[in-house]
Amino acid sequence: MKRLSKEQVLLLHSQLIESFGGSSGVRDDNLLDSALETPFQTFDGEELYPTLQAKAARLGYGLIKNHCMIDGNKRIGAHAMLVFLELNGVEIGTHRRIYMKPY
């Protein structure tokens, strides 16, 4: 399983800030480390997040809830989760459907 490194997440964050605006930088380095490591925790030899999807969800949740960045925590959480899934072979697609209400 491929993991995102701290350097990769910081690069992704910088790119998001550059594209969409906001303040770049880390607010709390320890909280960032925690968000990146928590998806891979084990207890008594068992993975706490055993599936790829569970790890991705925990990664996104940790980056968002830990508020480890100065700005853009929700953006980096969602983006890192999707990049993590794609790095591990999950194809992310979109489906456009237009629903129209009858008048």
Side-chain angles (χ1 to χ4, degrees):
M1 177 177 305
K2 297 176 184 173
R3 295 171 66 161
L4 287 171
S5 71
K6 186 176 188 175
E7 292 75 23
Q8 290 170 319
V9 169
L10 291 173
L11 177 61
L12 290 172
H13 182 257
S14 294
Q15 291 170 341
L16 288 170
I17 294 298
E18 185 177 314
S19 295
F20 300 104
S23 300
S24 187
V26 177
R27 186 178 68 82
D28 190 317
D29 211 43
N30 292 324
L31 290 175
L32 176 57
D33 290 339
S34 174
L36 297 176
E37 294 300 323
T38 298
F40 304 97
Q41 285 182 327
T42 61
F43 179 77
D44 198 27
E46 298 289 324
E47 293 185 48
L48 295 179
Y49 307 96
T51 66
L52 181 65
Q53 292 82 358
K55 286 176 178 27
R58 189 60 183 96
L59 174 65
Y61 179 83
L63 288 168
I64 292 167
K65 293 300 278 186
N66 283 2
H67 290 279
C68 48
M69 304 297 189
I70 293 171
D71 196 11
N73 291 287
K74 291 185 283 291
R75 283 176 275 175
I76 190 58
H79 192 56
M81 178 183 66
L82 295 173
V83 170
F84 173 75
L85 287 169
E86 291 218 14
L87 280 175
N88 286 287
V90 176
E91 291 186 30
I92 306 296
T94 59
H95 300 281
R96 291 186 179 186
R97 294 185 183 173
I98 299 172
Y99 296 98
M100 299 182 74
K101 292 183 180 181
Y103 290 105

mmCIF file of all heavy atoms in Angstrom, residues 64-91:
data_model
loop_
_atom_site.group_PDB
_atom_site.id
_atom_site.type_symbol
_atom_site.label_atom_id
_atom_site.label_comp_id
_atom_site.label_asym_id
_atom_site.label_seq_id
_atom_site.Cartn_x
_atom_site.Cartn_y
_atom_site.Cartn_z
ATOM 1 N N ILE A 64 -8.733 17.212 8.317
ATOM 2 C CA ILE A 64 -9.768 18.232 8.497
ATOM 3 C C ILE A 64 -9.943 18.581 9.978
ATOM 4 O O ILE A 64 -9.914 19.752 10.364
ATOM 5 C CB ILE A 64 -11.101 17.760 7.883
ATOM 6 C CG1 ILE A 64 -10.982 17.690 6.357
ATOM 7 C CG2 ILE A 64 -12.251 18.679 8.301
ATOM 8 C CD1 ILE A 64 -12.117 16.951 5.682
ATOM 9 N N LYS A 65 -10.140 17.586 10.817
ATOM 10 C CA LYS A 65 -10.467 17.835 12.223
ATOM 11 C C LYS A 65 -9.280 18.307 13.067
ATOM 12 O O LYS A 65 -9.465 19.019 14.044
ATOM 13 C CB LYS A 65 -11.077 16.582 12.857
ATOM 14 C CG LYS A 65 -12.434 16.224 12.302
ATOM 15 C CD LYS A 65 -13.454 17.308 12.491
ATOM 16 C CE LYS A 65 -14.022 17.252 13.877
ATOM 17 N NZ LYS A 65 -15.115 18.181 14.109
ATOM 18 N N ASN A 66 -8.061 17.909 12.700
ATOM 19 C CA ASN A 66 -6.900 18.326 13.486
ATOM 20 C C ASN A 66 -6.541 19.800 13.262
ATOM 21 O O ASN A 66 -5.808 20.375 14.057
ATOM 22 C CB ASN A 66 -5.684 17.462 13.157
ATOM 23 C CG ASN A 66 -5.742 16.102 13.797
ATOM 24 O OD1 ASN A 66 -6.704 15.754 14.468
ATOM 25 N ND2 ASN A 66 -4.717 15.312 13.582
ATOM 26 N N HIS A 67 -7.036 20.403 12.195
ATOM 27 C CA HIS A 67 -6.715 21.794 11.869
ATOM 28 C C HIS A 67 -5.211 22.040 11.950
ATOM 29 O O HIS A 67 -4.760 22.991 12.590
ATOM 30 C CB HIS A 67 -7.469 22.772 12.781
ATOM 31 C CG HIS A 67 -8.927 22.803 12.500
ATOM 32 N ND1 HIS A 67 -9.473 23.523 11.477
ATOM 33 C CD2 HIS A 67 -9.959 22.157 13.109
ATOM 34 C CE1 HIS A 67 -10.786 23.341 11.462
ATOM 35 N NE2 HIS A 67 -11.099 22.518 12.442
ATOM 36 N N CYS A 68 -4.453 21.167 11.305
ATOM 37 C CA CYS A 68 -2.994 21.261 11.375
ATOM 38 C C CYS A 68 -2.428 22.333 10.448
ATOM 39 O O CYS A 68 -1.294 22.783 10.638
ATOM 40 C CB CYS A 68 -2.359 19.903 11.082
ATOM 41 S SG CYS A 68 -3.004 19.093 9.620
ATOM 42 N N MET A 69 -3.193 22.774 9.473
ATOM 43 C CA MET A 69 -2.744 23.820 8.552
ATOM 44 C C MET A 69 -3.303 25.174 8.976
ATOM 45 O O MET A 69 -4.323 25.247 9.664
ATOM 46 C CB MET A 69 -3.205 23.511 7.119
ATOM 47 C CG MET A 69 -2.761 22.171 6.589
ATOM 48 S SD MET A 69 -0.979 22.063 6.487
ATOM 49 C CE MET A 69 -0.797 20.534 5.605
ATOM 50 N N ILE A 70 -2.644 26.233 8.547
ATOM 51 C CA ILE A 70 -3.130 27.580 8.846
ATOM 52 C C ILE A 70 -4.465 27.820 8.154
ATOM 53 O O ILE A 70 -5.385 28.410 8.729
ATOM 54 C CB ILE A 70 -2.079 28.631 8.426
ATOM 55 C CG1 ILE A 70 -0.832 28.496 9.306
ATOM 56 C CG2 ILE A 70 -2.653 30.048 8.506
ATOM 57 C CD1 ILE A 70 0.349 29.325 8.857
ATOM 58 N N ASP A 71 -4.582 27.337 6.924
ATOM 59 C CA ASP A 71 -5.783 27.543 6.115
ATOM 60 C C ASP A 71 -5.939 26.345 5.180
ATOM 61 O O ASP A 71 -4.969 25.657 4.876
ATOM 62 C CB ASP A 71 -5.652 28.834 5.309
ATOM 63 C CG ASP A 71 -6.961 29.336 4.747
ATOM 64 O OD1 ASP A 71 -8.025 28.828 5.130
ATOM 65 O OD2 ASP A 71 -6.919 30.256 3.909
ATOM 66 N N GLY A 72 -7.141 26.090 4.718
ATOM 67 C CA GLY A 72 -7.368 25.057 3.719
ATOM 68 C C GLY A 72 -7.403 23.645 4.260
ATOM 69 O O GLY A 72 -7.111 22.689 3.528
ATOM 70 N N ASN A 73 -7.786 23.465 5.517
ATOM 71 C CA ASN A 73 -7.812 22.126 6.111
ATOM 72 C C ASN A 73 -8.819 21.197 5.435
ATOM 73 O O ASN A 73 -8.518 20.033 5.185
ATOM 74 C CB ASN A 73 -8.097 22.225 7.611
ATOM 75 C CG ASN A 73 -6.947 22.848 8.353
ATOM 76 O OD1 ASN A 73 -5.911 22.224 8.531
ATOM 77 N ND2 ASN A 73 -7.113 24.099 8.769
ATOM 78 N N LYS A 74 -10.003 21.705 5.119
ATOM 79 C CA LYS A 74 -10.994 20.873 4.441
ATOM 80 C C LYS A 74 -10.551 20.549 3.021
ATOM 81 O O LYS A 74 -10.725 19.426 2.553
ATOM 82 C CB LYS A 74 -12.361 21.557 4.451
ATOM 83 C CG LYS A 74 -12.975 21.612 5.846
ATOM 84 C CD LYS A 74 -14.363 22.171 5.844
ATOM 85 C CE LYS A 74 -14.440 23.655 5.719
ATOM 86 N NZ LYS A 74 -13.978 24.452 6.833
ATOM 87 N N ARG A 75 -9.940 21.527 2.355
ATOM 88 C CA ARG A 75 -9.444 21.284 0.995
ATOM 89 C C ARG A 75 -8.369 20.202 0.972
ATOM 90 O O ARG A 75 -8.423 19.277 0.167
ATOM 91 C CB ARG A 75 -8.874 22.571 0.387
ATOM 92 C CG ARG A 75 -9.949 23.529 -0.074
ATOM 93 C CD ARG A 75 -9.337 24.801 -0.571
ATOM 94 N NE ARG A 75 -9.112 25.686 0.587
ATOM 95 C CZ ARG A 75 -8.503 26.847 0.522
ATOM 96 N NH1 ARG A 75 -8.023 27.297 -0.618
ATOM 97 N NH2 ARG A 75 -8.370 27.592 1.604
ATOM 98 N N ILE A 76 -7.384 20.293 1.860
ATOM 99 C CA ILE A 76 -6.303 19.309 1.850
ATOM 100 C C ILE A 76 -6.815 17.953 2.328
ATOM 101 O O ILE A 76 -6.370 16.913 1.836
ATOM 102 C CB ILE A 76 -5.063 19.778 2.645
ATOM 103 C CG1 ILE A 76 -3.869 18.835 2.392
ATOM 104 C CG2 ILE A 76 -5.346 19.876 4.126
ATOM 105 C CD1 ILE A 76 -3.451 18.683 0.959
ATOM 106 N N GLY A 77 -7.756 17.931 3.248
ATOM 107 C CA GLY A 77 -8.314 16.663 3.705
ATOM 108 C C GLY A 77 -8.996 15.899 2.581
ATOM 109 O O GLY A 77 -8.733 14.713 2.368
ATOM 110 N N ALA A 78 -9.859 16.585 1.857
ATOM 111 C CA ALA A 78 -10.559 15.941 0.742
ATOM 112 C C ALA A 78 -9.593 15.560 -0.377
ATOM 113 O O ALA A 78 -9.653 14.457 -0.924
ATOM 114 C CB ALA A 78 -11.649 16.869 0.208
ATOM 115 N N HIS A 79 -8.686 16.466 -0.698
ATOM 116 C CA HIS A 79 -7.753 16.221 -1.802
ATOM 117 C C HIS A 79 -6.790 15.078 -1.467
ATOM 118 O O HIS A 79 -6.561 14.192 -2.299
ATOM 119 C CB HIS A 79 -6.987 17.506 -2.131
ATOM 120 C CG HIS A 79 -6.227 17.441 -3.406
ATOM 121 N ND1 HIS A 79 -6.810 17.129 -4.607
ATOM 122 C CD2 HIS A 79 -4.909 17.638 -3.669
ATOM 123 C CE1 HIS A 79 -5.894 17.143 -5.564
ATOM 124 N NE2 HIS A 79 -4.728 17.446 -5.017
ATOM 125 N N ALA A 80 -6.240 15.080 -0.270
ATOM 126 C CA ALA A 80 -5.305 14.015 0.129
ATOM 127 C C ALA A 80 -6.006 12.660 0.137
ATOM 128 O O ALA A 80 -5.416 11.651 -0.268
ATOM 129 C CB ALA A 80 -4.703 14.323 1.497
ATOM 130 N N MET A 81 -7.248 12.625 0.572
ATOM 131 C CA MET A 81 -8.000 11.381 0.576
ATOM 132 C C MET A 81 -8.152 10.836 -0.848
ATOM 133 O O MET A 81 -7.911 9.650 -1.100
ATOM 134 C CB MET A 81 -9.382 11.609 1.196
ATOM 135 C CG MET A 81 -10.261 10.382 1.207
ATOM 136 S SD MET A 81 -11.904 10.694 1.874
ATOM 137 C CE MET A 81 -12.568 11.802 0.645
ATOM 138 N N LEU A 82 -8.517 11.688 -1.782
ATOM 139 C CA LEU A 82 -8.699 11.259 -3.170
ATOM 140 C C LEU A 82 -7.380 10.856 -3.819
ATOM 141 O O LEU A 82 -7.315 9.861 -4.545
ATOM 142 C CB LEU A 82 -9.385 12.370 -3.973
ATOM 143 C CG LEU A 82 -10.818 12.688 -3.537
ATOM 144 C CD1 LEU A 82 -11.334 13.916 -4.269
ATOM 145 C CD2 LEU A 82 -11.731 11.495 -3.754
ATOM 146 N N VAL A 83 -6.315 11.608 -3.555
ATOM 147 C CA VAL A 83 -4.998 11.261 -4.102
ATOM 148 C C VAL A 83 -4.531 9.923 -3.533
ATOM 149 O O VAL A 83 -4.018 9.072 -4.270
ATOM 150 C CB VAL A 83 -3.974 12.383 -3.820
ATOM 151 C CG1 VAL A 83 -2.558 11.936 -4.162
ATOM 152 C CG2 VAL A 83 -4.334 13.635 -4.614
ATOM 153 N N PHE A 84 -4.716 9.707 -2.244
ATOM 154 C CA PHE A 84 -4.348 8.444 -1.603
ATOM 155 C C PHE A 84 -5.064 7.273 -2.272
ATOM 156 O O PHE A 84 -4.458 6.238 -2.574
ATOM 157 C CB PHE A 84 -4.671 8.503 -0.108
ATOM 158 C CG PHE A 84 -4.494 7.205 0.611
ATOM 159 C CD1 PHE A 84 -3.225 6.729 0.922
ATOM 160 C CD2 PHE A 84 -5.592 6.444 0.979
ATOM 161 C CE1 PHE A 84 -3.056 5.517 1.592
ATOM 162 C CE2 PHE A 84 -5.437 5.243 1.646
ATOM 163 C CZ PHE A 84 -4.162 4.775 1.943
ATOM 164 N N LEU A 85 -6.352 7.420 -2.515
ATOM 165 C CA LEU A 85 -7.112 6.352 -3.159
ATOM 166 C C LEU A 85 -6.589 6.082 -4.573
ATOM 167 O O LEU A 85 -6.402 4.928 -4.967
ATOM 168 C CB LEU A 85 -8.600 6.697 -3.189
ATOM 169 C CG LEU A 85 -9.328 6.597 -1.857
ATOM 170 C CD1 LEU A 85 -10.714 7.211 -1.958
ATOM 171 C CD2 LEU A 85 -9.409 5.156 -1.384
ATOM 172 N N GLU A 86 -6.351 7.137 -5.335
ATOM 173 C CA GLU A 86 -5.855 6.954 -6.705
ATOM 174 C C GLU A 86 -4.465 6.335 -6.731
ATOM 175 O O GLU A 86 -4.171 5.500 -7.584
ATOM 176 C CB GLU A 86 -5.887 8.286 -7.463
ATOM 177 C CG GLU A 86 -7.308 8.721 -7.735
ATOM 178 C CD GLU A 86 -7.506 9.376 -9.086
ATOM 179 O OE1 GLU A 86 -6.617 9.281 -9.946
ATOM 180 O OE2 GLU A 86 -8.568 9.979 -9.249
ATOM 181 N N LEU A 87 -3.597 6.731 -5.790
ATOM 182 C CA LEU A 87 -2.259 6.129 -5.711
ATOM 183 C C LEU A 87 -2.335 4.624 -5.472
ATOM 184 O O LEU A 87 -1.439 3.890 -5.865
ATOM 185 C CB LEU A 87 -1.452 6.751 -4.567
ATOM 186 C CG LEU A 87 -0.795 8.089 -4.824
ATOM 187 C CD1 LEU A 87 -0.155 8.601 -3.537
ATOM 188 C CD2 LEU A 87 0.236 7.986 -5.924
ATOM 189 N N ASN A 88 -3.406 4.196 -4.843
ATOM 190 C CA ASN A 88 -3.567 2.786 -4.514
ATOM 191 C C ASN A 88 -4.535 2.065 -5.450
ATOM 192 O O ASN A 88 -5.091 1.029 -5.100
ATOM 193 C CB ASN A 88 -3.994 2.646 -3.049
ATOM 194 C CG ASN A 88 -2.831 2.911 -2.127
ATOM 195 O OD1 ASN A 88 -1.929 2.092 -2.016
ATOM 196 N ND2 ASN A 88 -2.823 4.082 -1.503
ATOM 197 N N GLY A 89 -4.735 2.625 -6.632
ATOM 198 C CA GLY A 89 -5.463 1.924 -7.680
ATOM 199 C C GLY A 89 -6.963 2.100 -7.714
ATOM 200 O O GLY A 89 -7.638 1.420 -8.492
ATOM 201 N N VAL A 90 -7.496 2.983 -6.917
ATOM 202 C CA VAL A 90 -8.938 3.228 -6.955
ATOM 203 C C VAL A 90 -9.189 4.354 -7.942
ATOM 204 O O VAL A 90 -8.668 5.458 -7.789
ATOM 205 C CB VAL A 90 -9.485 3.611 -5.559
ATOM 206 C CG1 VAL A 90 -10.961 3.953 -5.630
ATOM 207 C CG2 VAL A 90 -9.235 2.489 -4.573
ATOM 208 N N GLU A 91 -9.974 4.060 -8.964
ATOM 209 C CA GLU A 91 -10.284 5.083 -9.965
ATOM 210 C C GLU A 91 -11.445 5.934 -9.466
ATOM 211 O O GLU A 91 -12.488 5.418 -9.106
ATOM 212 C CB GLU A 91 -10.635 4.436 -11.298
ATOM 213 C CG GLU A 91 -9.448 3.765 -11.956
ATOM 214 C CD GLU A 91 -9.775 3.251 -13.340
ATOM 215 O OE1 GLU A 91 -10.638 3.844 -14.012
ATOM 216 O OE2 GLU A 91 -9.167 2.249 -13.731
#
